[in-house]
Amino acid sequence: MRNLQAFEAIGRCGGVTAAARDLGVSAGAISQHVHLIEESLGVKLIERRGRTVELTSWGMLYYQEIAKGFSMIRGAQDVIHRARNADAITLSALPSVASRWIGQRIFEWQEKHPASNIRIVGTDNEPRLGRDVADFRITYGEAIAGHEHFVELFTDWAVPVCSPKLLAGHALERPEDLFSLPRLNIAWDPMYKPPPRWADWAALISAPFSRTDSGLSFTLSSGAIDAAVAGRGIVLAQVSMITDELATKSLVIPFDIRLKLAESYWLAWDRAALHKPHAAAFKTWLVGISREQAKLSAPTVAD
């Protein structure tokens, strides 16, 4: 079995060195395993071409067949992983959404459904619902196109916030006075449309803004919000992610002028997962709190 595993790794990884790295053994050990298979079969499976090693025609034929078996083995492992989580509901979400939005609301669900078993995974990687160990996925914008069953949740708004201690000693009379404070920026992965930026906010208030590249940038909204709480600067934060901080006054809104995000958040799900205990109710709850969040995030009529 080890011999077959070594040969499968060569075909899958594209060479002896890469296979050795994948399996955590030496290149010499990989070559020895393949040599034993060649002796057993009586054919050459690999050949050296300069500095590279390639599969022979026999080797390619053999690899195509044994790869099917290893794929089935990996599939069996996935089945076991899913079976072990048969009663658990796994929610995959973007990291900041998982920690800042769902992380702040999930206890409301747990109080109403104490018998439920919820697992939250924060990741930028889009899971293959129905194949990976994930039942639901909260994602953003065009990334939803990779899923089959989904519903729009809400479109968030961003508003300038900072720690009260940062405002001490600063006389802020007009919105543009905020540009005198150290700014914190959020720069998402290029696969997403960018979040509202300070230049966008300056345009909204019809104020000049030339220092577009100044300040500290974070790839996660949660990181920028944490820095703002620590008094390191002012940030255009998503309203959905600062509920607790506004309630405890660890963050304040100097001027409540909001910018709408370019795209919406979405909920996707695996249809089979809805048969799990509490899963259908969990989906309904997620949609419900998103409707509430849409109302909380949007500016008031007076704004």
Side-chain angles (χ1 to χ4, degrees):
M1 189 65 182
R2 290 182 179 179
N3 297 340
L4 293 174
Q5 185 181 29
F7 178 71
E8 187 272 342
I10 292 177
R12 176 168 47 83
C13 300
V16 172
T17 301
R21 189 182 305 114
D22 182 70
L23 298 180
V25 299
S26 68
I30 294 291
S31 297
Q32 181 61 28
H33 284 306
V34 175
H35 179 66
L36 292 174
I37 299 177
E38 290 176 330
E39 283 189 339
S40 175
L41 295 176
V43 296
K44 291 289 292 182
L45 298 177
I46 61 174
E47 59 183 354
R48 183 169 295 279
R49 295 182 182 274
R51 293 186 176 183
T52 63
V53 172
E54 296 181 359
L55 298 180
T56 65
S57 57
W58 290 110
M60 181 59 69
L61 180 64
Y62 192 56
Y63 169 71
Q64 290 173 348
E65 294 303 312
I66 69 167
K68 298 176 185 177
F70 277 92
S71 177
M72 292 179 66
I73 291 173
R74 284 189 285 268
Q77 292 174 327
D78 290 340
V79 169
I80 293 299
H81 286 311
R82 292 185 65 83
R84 291 179 61 185
N85 291 278
D87 293 331
I89 299 171
T90 300
L91 169 64
S92 170
L94 295 167
S96 293
V97 174
S99 63
R100 284 280 170 182
W101 187 55
I102 290 298
Q104 294 177 351
R105 304 293 300 273
I106 194 63
F107 297 101
E108 299 173 14
W109 160 269
Q110 206 64 35
E111 288 179 3
K112 297 177 181 177
H113 303 83
S116 65
N117 185 2
I118 306 295
R119 179 171 175 261
I120 301 174
V121 180
T123 177
D124 285 318
N125 298 324
E126 292 296 318
R128 299 167 300 172
L129 298 177
R131 298 179 63 186
D132 294 337
V133 185
D135 303 308
F136 295 92
R137 169 67 174 174
I138 296 179
T139 192
Y140 179 77
E142 296 177 357
I144 194 61
H147 300 286
E148 184 176 0
H149 308 288
F150 52 83
V151 65
E152 185 175 7
L153 292 180
F154 66 98
T155 303
D156 211 356
W157 294 70
V159 67
V161 293
C162 63
S163 168
K165 63 183 179 182
L166 184 67
L167 296 180
H170 291 86
L172 302 178
E173 298 179 357
R174 303 171 300 171
E176 51 264 41
D177 293 338
L178 292 183
F179 297 141
S180 65
L181 302 175
R183 295 191 305 279
L184 302 170
N185 303 296
I186 299 172
W188 287 348
D189 189 289
M191 69 175 289
Y192 303 111
K193 290 185 179 179
R197 294 163 292 191
W198 282 111
D200 302 321
W201 197 77
L204 182 64
I205 62 173
S206 301
F209 187 81
S210 57
R211 296 169 56 201
T212 58
D213 59 348
S214 64
L216 186 63
S217 293
F218 295 81
T219 57
L220 292 179
S221 301
S222 57
I225 293 170
D226 288 340
V229 171
R232 299 297 184 180
I234 188 164
V235 64
L236 279 172
Q238 291 176 232
V239 177
S240 68
M241 298 185 181
I242 54 175
T243 303
D244 286 357
E245 288 75 17
L246 293 177
T248 60
K249 293 184 170 53
S250 57
L251 287 177
V252 295
I253 303 174
F255 296 95
D256 196 346
I257 302 173
R258 306 184 184 191
L259 269 172
K260 193 174 186 179
L261 265 63
E263 297 183 303
S264 298
Y265 285 102
W266 298 78
L267 174 68
W269 62 88
D270 171 28
R271 286 182 62 183
L274 296 180
H275 296 292
K276 287 186 175 183
H278 305 286
F282 185 62
K283 172 179 171 286
T284 300
W285 178 78
L286 287 171
V287 173
I289 64 171
S290 73
R291 300 292 183 258
E292 297 173 3
Q293 188 61 60
K295 296 176 182 178
L296 292 172
S297 294
T300 62
V301 176
D303 292 335

